Amino acid sequence: MTKIMPMFADHADQVLEIYGLGIDTGDATFEECAPDWSVFDAGKLPAHRFVALDETTGVVLGWVAASPTSKRPVYAGVVETSVYVHPAAFGRGVGRALLEAQITSTEAAGIWTIQAGIFPENTASLSLHTTLGFRTIGTRERIARHHGQWRDVTLLERRSRMVD
């Protein structure tokens, strides 16, 4: 069984380890290494970040976090999401449960758009987001170099049906 709960500093080591495993795949992010906890913590909105715990062991199976997209007040209802699952927990519905929890929390807070930027090669993440109501809004072609290669990023968004 999996339990979804808010992310706290107690989860830092496991969250950053899972982030590092995602980085190692080469298809999760442009980042080359996970930041330290203080940097990670400062960039994520506390009310919209969660971990999935194995209820038996208490081990973190994955995490989701939202970041503001702009400091301008007009964009206060727009966030960018990141979701990472430990490879040992792939295929167990962890990513879906995490993203669903974040959708619920953001809608309750009046956030009207969740954005995601995903490498086209990350088909599992694209499928997950699409299943939960995200739509593709475009591709940023050759937006940046990653390990010496130009990479595209697929942009997705989910507009809340609860926030007018």
Side-chain angles (χ1 to χ4, degrees), residues 3 8 16 20 22 24 32 40-41 46 48 51-52 58 67 86 88 94-95 102 105 114 136 139 150 156 159 163:
K3 176 182 177 181
F8 298 114
L16 295 176
D24 291 346
E32 294 186 11
F40 180 94
D41 185 47
H48 309 297
V51 292
S67 304
H86 193 287
V94 171
Q102 187 181 65
S105 75
I114 304 173
T136 299
T139 300
W150 287 106
L156 299 99
R159 296 280 303 182
V163 181

Side-chain angles (χ1 to χ4, degrees), residues 43-59:
K44 309 299 183 205
L45 298 168
H48 309 297
R49 60 186 191 189
F50 301 92
V51 292
L53 298 179
D54 180 299
E55 285 190 296
T56 305
T57 64
V59 170

Side-chain angles (χ1 to χ4, degrees), residues 15 30 44 57 61 65 72 74 83 89 116 153:
V15 165
F30 282 110
K44 309 299 183 205
T57 64
L61 303 174
R72 295 177 62 195
V74 70
V83 59
V153 171

Side-chain angles (χ1 to χ4, degrees), residues 57-142:
T57 64
V59 170
V60 175
L61 303 174
W63 59 268
V64 66
S67 304
T69 60
S70 176
K71 292 180 182 177
R72 295 177 62 195
V74 70
Y75 294 114
V78 182
V79 297
E80 182 174 0
T81 189
S82 297
V83 59
Y84 285 78
V85 176
H86 193 287
F90 285 175
R92 293 173 41 189
V94 171
R96 181 184 184 113
L98 286 163
L99 205 48
E100 285 174 339
Q102 187 181 65
I103 289 167
T104 299
S105 75
T106 56
E107 287 185 337
I111 291 171
W112 57 84
T113 300
I114 304 173
Q115 297 177 345
I118 302 171
F119 289 133
E121 297 81 5
N122 193 343
T123 57
S125 188
L126 289 169
S127 177
L128 168 65
H129 285 79
T130 301
T131 297
L132 292 178
F134 286 74
R135 68 182 180 94
T136 299
I137 57 173
T139 300
R140 298 178 82 183
E141 296 177 358
R142 298 171 49 99

